[in-house]
Amino acid sequence: MYVSGNKISIPLGESPSTHILKPAIERFEGVVFNEAFCMKLARGIGMNAAHTETGQVEGIDYLLAQRYDRTTSSDASGVPQTLKREHQEDFCQALGIVPENKYQAEGGPSLKQCFALVRDASSAPVIDLQALLDAVIFNFLIGNHDAHGKNFSFPYSGGQTRLAPLYDLLSTSYYPELSPKMAMKIGGEYSSAKITVKHFERLAEEAGLGKPMVRRRVPELAEAILSTMPAVTTDHPVALAVAKLIQGGCERTIKKFKA
């Protein structure tokens, strides 16, 4: 969609869009508010995540996510002129994996491959390796089991290759009909319920990161989520339920890591 002020339009021809609009899905109660809460929670704790907002038209709720793969050129006086697309690749594309195989169990990227890719391709690998680790931990803490290879990307801008802002953050564990199996293993384990300190230590080995740093970072992010959540929670019943679910998961994780 193309958004200008309060007006939302469909771009014609080759005109670039500015946002992605995601309407409510009837079979997944409150999915719009679930994702909006998780995205705002990520931004609230300081993570680089796409800007989102919710809206409603003709009784249908929707999530509006601002695209990060766009730039605006300006004239000599600095007045914005032309909206342009920026090239980007998700991790499946960058690794030469067809999108149908985006899940690790189906031949998709593993976290070991993702960290190796960032180390090899990023223009600022130290910063982006930390950002990717934080994304993995955050997805684990919110119960996002659908964080697959196509949910991480590299936009190519100004000769730089950097990890894209996070997007598609959703607590899938809120919906019992969705698989409890994570899209990518953490330390050799697919079930988030079985993840312990040793699994994150194994992830540290696979990713070439320090074990003490990874052990410390998991409860740090869990505590950051707990302290930030009250300021992010909305009055929507699904968002409130998701917040309670995430709170419980964070509290259990802190106990595990500080035992």
Side-chain angles (χ1 to χ4, degrees):
M1 310 300 293
Y2 182 86
V3 178
S4 178
N6 294 324
K7 187 176 180 180
I8 302 177
S9 310
I10 298 176
L12 296 177
E14 297 299 317
S15 300
S17 60
T18 61
H19 291 68
I20 294 173
L21 189 148
K22 304 167 86 171
I25 303 172
E26 187 174 353
R27 62 186 289 245
F28 298 122
E29 178 194 10
V31 66
V32 164
F33 301 96
N34 182 334
E35 183 169 347
F37 173 74
C38 292
M39 292 292 291
K40 289 178 182 178
L41 184 60
R43 289 171 64 89
I45 66 171
M47 300 182 72
N48 184 20
H51 177 75
T52 59
E53 58 185 281
T54 59
Q56 187 183 85
V57 62
E58 296 184 4
I60 301 174
D61 296 314
Y62 64 83
L63 180 83
L64 200 61
Q66 185 175 358
R67 300 195 67 131
Y68 55 78
D69 55 343
R70 298 290 186 264
T71 56
T72 304
S73 62
S74 302
D75 61 17
S77 64
V79 177
Q81 296 293 310
T82 307
L83 184 69
K84 294 183 178 180
R85 296 179 176 88
E86 288 185 339
H87 179 59
Q88 68 163 333
E89 285 185 312
D90 63 48
F91 279 21
C92 283
Q93 291 172 311
L95 291 166
I97 297 172
V98 296
E100 291 77 14
N101 295 345
K102 61 187 178 182
Y103 296 103
Q104 182 177 350
E106 299 168 358
S110 65
L111 286 176
K112 181 178 181 178
Q113 288 175 291
C114 291
F115 279 96
L117 177 63
V118 170
R119 183 172 278 107
D120 293 340
S122 173
S123 301
V126 174
I127 297 173
D128 284 347
L129 285 169
Q130 181 67 61
L132 179 58
L133 174 64
D134 286 353
V136 171
I137 296 171
F138 184 81
N139 279 317
F140 164 70
L141 291 171
I142 68 170
N144 181 16
H145 300 149
D146 200 42
H148 49 69
K150 287 184 66 60
N151 287 144
F152 299 99
S153 297
F154 285 128
Y156 301 105
S157 176
Q160 297 288 303
T161 302
R162 297 297 306 278
L163 190 67
L166 296 175
Y167 53 94
D168 289 348
L169 300 176
L170 177 78
S171 179
T172 63
S173 61
Y174 175 74
Y175 304 103
E177 63 268 40
L178 292 179
S179 174
K181 182 178 179 180
M182 292 187 294
M184 291 188 277
K185 293 179 182 179
I186 293 179
E189 178 58 59
Y190 274 123
S191 173
S192 62
K194 296 180 181 179
I195 296 295
T196 63
V197 177
K198 71 176 183 180
H199 294 103
F200 272 101
E201 289 179 336
R202 183 174 173 183
L203 172 63
E205 291 179 356
E206 295 172 348
L209 303 173
K211 290 183 182 180
M213 184 273 287
V214 174
R215 281 198 305 267
R216 182 176 65 253
R217 192 58 176 159
V218 177
E220 280 180 354
L221 284 184
E223 289 171 348
I225 287 173
L226 291 177
S227 63
T228 302
M229 196 179 296
V232 179
T233 303
T234 69
D235 57 0
H236 191 277
V238 169
L240 291 171
V242 166
K244 186 175 181 180
L245 187 67
I246 294 173
Q247 178 182 347
C250 286
E251 290 173 347
R252 288 191 296 272
T253 297
I254 290 170
K255 288 181 180 179
K256 284 182 183 179
F257 277 75
K258 294 194 172 183

